[in-house]
Amino acid sequence: MSLNKSELVSAIAGKAENVTKAQAEEFLNAFQEVLEESLAKGEAVKVTGLLSVERVERAARTGRNPRTGEEIQIPAGFGVKISAGSVLKKAVAK
């Protein structure tokens, strides 16, 4: 089972006092924007105990086209690394 965005918004509004679903969605959208902008600049985002998100470099490499078997060059680029914090790890271990 997983939560989609609207279910997450409802859960946040239900847990927080005096927060409407609209306010929870506004918060979630703002959090997403901050993550995107920070990662685009190469800055890591760390929420102590919960998670850390950072941009990582991927080196250029040789890959293979699965249909033809032909070797292809995959250019260098960036990826995202997400690490669970201690509080999140403890919650999952229960």
Side-chain angles (χ1 to χ4, degrees):
M1 184 175 154
S2 63
L3 290 177
N4 64 30
K5 185 176 180 180
S6 62
E7 292 168 337
L8 180 58
V9 165
S10 294
I12 291 170
K15 290 274 185 183
E17 286 187 33
N18 301 321
V19 175
T20 65
K21 285 183 182 179
Q23 291 169 324
E25 184 170 15
E26 189 176 324
F27 163 78
L28 198 55
N29 290 338
F31 181 69
Q32 179 178 336
E33 284 181 36
V34 169
L35 274 177
E36 290 173 2
E37 292 167 1
S38 296
L39 293 173
K41 291 187 260 180
E43 299 172 345
V45 176
K46 297 181 184 193
V47 181
T48 304
L50 185 63
L51 58 87
S52 65
V53 185
E54 61 185 302
R55 183 173 85 168
V56 292
E57 289 186 47
R58 290 194 180 145
R61 62 193 188 278
T62 301
R64 194 167 294 279
N65 182 327
R67 287 189 182 166
T68 65
E70 173 188 5
E71 282 192 356
I72 56 172
Q73 291 301 314
I74 301 170
F78 296 100
V80 176
K81 178 182 173 185
I82 302 173
S83 301
S86 60
V87 173
L88 196 56
K89 288 179 184 178
K90 286 178 187 175
V92 171
K94 290 183 182 179

